[in-house]
Amino acid sequence: MFPREVHAAGGVIVQDGRIAVVHRPHREDWSLPKGKLDAGETFEEAALREIREETGYEVALGEELTEIRYDDHKGRPKLVRYWLMTITGGEWTQNDEVDELRWVTPNEAIELLTYDNDHGLVREAAERTIVV
């Protein structure tokens, strides 16, 4: 029996030429904000909810970026869809999942982010938004 594919969604939040990256203490990593879909939720709904939960920001979805596929830490296949995002409201709020948020340039993000998949998304976002 094959494991069920895990579905998640998130975003690359861009503001003033910088990208938001988050630190998750339970994983001891730096990543782009994302999370698993709740039952009955679309990828788009999950992306908006996860950004709100992990950062405190309300955001608008922009262009969809390249989807990412990999095996998660439990060996299950995982599909994550990401969107370019812009802030429409809210403010950064530390929470149980994320203890730090940094606004960094794309090059700084690539240096800081733990996962190679995130590096490619940052490059793609920079190309699409002409972030410098």
Side-chain angles (χ1 to χ4, degrees):
M1 181 170 165
F2 293 103
R4 185 174 167 271
E5 185 174 66
V6 176
H7 291 164
V12 180
I13 309 168
V14 179
Q15 179 173 289
D16 298 328
R18 297 192 176 267
I19 292 171
V21 296
V22 297
H23 182 257
R24 302 182 304 171
H26 67 285
R27 294 240 191 266
E28 296 182 7
D29 66 7
W30 285 93
S31 69
L32 297 168
K34 71 175 184 306
K36 290 183 256 182
L37 274 64
D38 287 341
E41 201 172 36
T42 67
F43 281 94
E44 293 85 352
E45 290 166 341
L48 294 170
R49 177 185 52 76
E50 284 292 337
I51 298 304
R52 185 175 51 255
E53 289 177 2
E54 292 192 1
T55 69
Y57 293 123
E58 297 291 334
V59 294
L61 295 179
E63 289 181 73
E64 186 170 2
L65 300 169
T66 301
E67 67 184 32
I68 303 296
R69 290 180 178 273
Y70 59 93
D71 289 339
D72 71 9
H73 66 280
K74 295 180 180 178
R76 300 172 298 186
K78 188 168 184 176
L79 165 64
V80 188
R81 291 175 59 189
Y82 289 89
W83 283 263
L84 281 172
M85 298 180 169
T86 54
I87 295 173
T88 59
E91 62 182 36
W92 157 242
T93 307
Q94 186 176 347
N95 57 74
D96 291 342
E97 293 182 59
V98 174
D99 65 352
E100 188 175 350
L101 180 145
R102 291 187 191 170
W103 288 100
V104 295
T105 66
N107 286 338
E108 291 167 336
I110 290 167
E111 288 293 316
L112 187 59
L113 289 165
T114 303
Y115 305 107
D116 289 343
N117 287 334
D118 289 347
H119 301 173
L121 289 165
V122 167
R123 287 186 189 96
E124 183 179 357
E127 289 172 5
R128 290 189 185 201
T129 60
I130 314 173
V131 174
V132 293

